[in-house]
């Protein structure tokens, strides 16, 4: 079904164009005309792929959410020392906070989506789903750390996961506007995780 | 100088109109025409008050930053039990995280500004200044808690202030999109502050 493949490929290219536009000049710059030009397709093609702007944004956000989740999981699976829950936790949090210079575009796009989700129920639904999955991932890591004896016994892993997810979210914003450096934010996360040790 | 007063008053009304528009339909909706209509002034009047859209946004953000800072400080000054640093810290963090239902508009506007600051150096400068002031306020509160003996001795108050500010920032976003309730976020902050006790 080559037609189907083309369609999915085109949707992906359009989502990528949306992210580039947001990172370059903000969510306000995402017009049908500019998206079409950036993706190298006609305006009609964009309209055939997405009925509304919010549907297009939602698809782009799902792509970013998947990538962030995938990256965190693959880092965990690729870890050579699966016994160290603390190392995994530290690496996962750094990945989620989008602290590397090459993560800047994704951090910008994420922030733009969070802002827009405040006035778009559809986007808010995607974000809540993403937060829920990331929360579960952090709870799993914290429970794992409890089972290996690396973390303090009796930790409220649900509350810790909520704190850690909010902390990474805040750091993403603060690094983006230059209140903290990526290095400083990473040190802060590491310090927090150290405080959970047995 | 009644003319000067009128001018400042008009700038204030325009900034308020900008915030209403952002809260209603996002930063994308802030056009010269809509701002003028919302503020009840002519488009020419808006242009005489602000040369560019970013100058207008910057002024609106400064207003919000001032209000958030003022509210935190006045809560501290109005406190009947100035000896309880922990209570002050708890109240201040709740205020900064904009957790009350009536804070929703401000939280939306704040999020929109953070997102736009990623592509606007002028706005990023205002945000960094705000973060720096809030950081100093939190360091002061933490040092005060140390001096009253309520907090654990030897706390790294600079690092704790950075963690707390990022945590409140993240909670603001997560409450806004409905991942956490205001009540849940308040509980989380309270739990964190409890962990700092001697």
């Amino acid at each position: 079904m080559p037609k189907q493949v083309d369609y999915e490929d085109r949707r992906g290219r359009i989502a990528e164009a949306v992210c580039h536009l947001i990172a370059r000049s903000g969510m306000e710059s995402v017009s049908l005309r500019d998206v079409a030009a950036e993706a190298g397709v006609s305006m009609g093609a964009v309209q055939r792929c997405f009925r509304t702007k919010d549907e297009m944004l939602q698809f782009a956000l799902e792509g970013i959410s998947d990538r962030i989740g995938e990256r965190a999981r693959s880092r965990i699976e690729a870890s050579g020392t699966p016994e160290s829950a603390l190392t995994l936790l530290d690496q996962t949090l750094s990945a989620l906070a989008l602290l590397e210079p090459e993560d800047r575009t994704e951090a910008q796009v994420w922030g733009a989506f969070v802002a827009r989700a405040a006035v778009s129920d559809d986007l808010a639904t995607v974000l809540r789903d993403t937060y829920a999955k990331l929360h579960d991932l952090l709870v799993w890591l914290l429970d794992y750390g409890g089972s290996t004896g690396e973390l303090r016994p009796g930790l409220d892993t649900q509350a810790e996961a909520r704190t850690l997810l909010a902390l990474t979210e805040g750091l993403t914003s603060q690094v983006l506007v230059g209140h903290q450096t990526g290095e400083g934010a990473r040190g802060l996360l590491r310090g927090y995780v150290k405080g959970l040790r047995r």
Side-chain angles (χ1 to χ4, degrees), chain A residues 167-189:
Chain A
L167 182 58
T168 56
E169 174 89 35
L171 288 173
T172 306
S173 300
Q174 296 188 347
V175 170
L176 203 56
V177 303
H179 171 62
Q180 302 215 35
T181 62
E183 204 42 58
R186 189 184 326 285
L188 215 64
L189 285 172

Side-chain angles (χ1 to χ4, degrees), chain A residues 22-37:
Chain A
I22 292 175
R24 200 181 309 142
S25 23
M27 183 67 91
E28 302 91 293
S29 68
V30 181
S31 70
L32 176 59
R33 183 181 304 275
D34 288 345
V35 169

Side-chain angles (χ1 to χ4, degrees), chain A residues 4-192:
Chain A
Q4 190 60 29
V5 172
D6 284 358
Y7 178 75
E8 281 309 316
D9 178 62
R10 181 169 285 170
R11 277 165 70 95
R13 266 166 60 205
I14 292 171
E16 218 174 284
V18 167
C19 293
H20 284 158
L21 286 173
I22 292 175
R24 200 181 309 142
S25 23
M27 183 67 91
E28 302 91 293
S29 68
V30 181
S31 70
L32 176 59
R33 183 181 304 275
D34 288 345
V35 169
E38 180 80 21
V41 300
S42 70
M43 283 166 64
V46 177
Q47 287 169 316
R48 278 191 296 278
C49 284
F50 302 103
R51 276 170 310 166
T52 63
K53 180 171 172 179
D54 262 14
E55 195 181 298
M56 181 174 73
L57 293 175
Q58 194 180 332
F59 182 78
L61 176 56
E62 282 165 353
I64 288 186
S65 295
D66 287 350
R67 276 201 297 282
I68 293 174
E70 264 316 305
R71 214 156 49 206
R73 275 185 293 274
S74 72
R75 212 175 271 216
I76 291 174
E77 283 161 15
S79 166
T81 53
E83 70 279 6
S84 174
L86 283 169
T87 305
L88 285 181
L89 194 54
D90 184 59
Q91 288 179 350
T92 303
L93 292 169
S94 282
L96 295 183
L98 304 169
L99 298 176
E100 300 295 331
E102 63 263 31
D103 297 335
R104 185 173 170 89
T105 297
E106 222 154 54
Q108 281 178 298
V109 176
W110 180 263
F113 277 118
V114 170
R116 184 159 172 114
V119 291
S120 161
D121 285 343
D122 287 345
L123 289 183
T125 303
V126 180
L127 275 181
R128 279 198 299 274
D129 186 50
T130 304
Y131 283 132
K133 282 181 192 156
L134 296 178
H135 172 85
D136 290 347
L137 179 69
L138 292 176
V139 169
W140 184 87
L141 281 169
L142 290 163
D143 284 338
Y144 176 54
S147 74
T148 60
E150 289 171 90
L151 297 185
R152 285 205 309 269
L155 271 187
D156 180 346
T157 55
Q158 291 285 336
E160 283 300 341
R162 288 199 294 146
T163 300
L164 284 168
L165 195 57
L167 182 58
T168 56
E169 174 89 35
L171 288 173
T172 306
S173 300
Q174 296 188 347
V175 170
L176 203 56
V177 303
H179 171 62
Q180 302 215 35
T181 62
E183 204 42 58
R186 189 184 326 285
L188 215 64
L189 285 172
R190 193 163 295 146
Y192 191 91

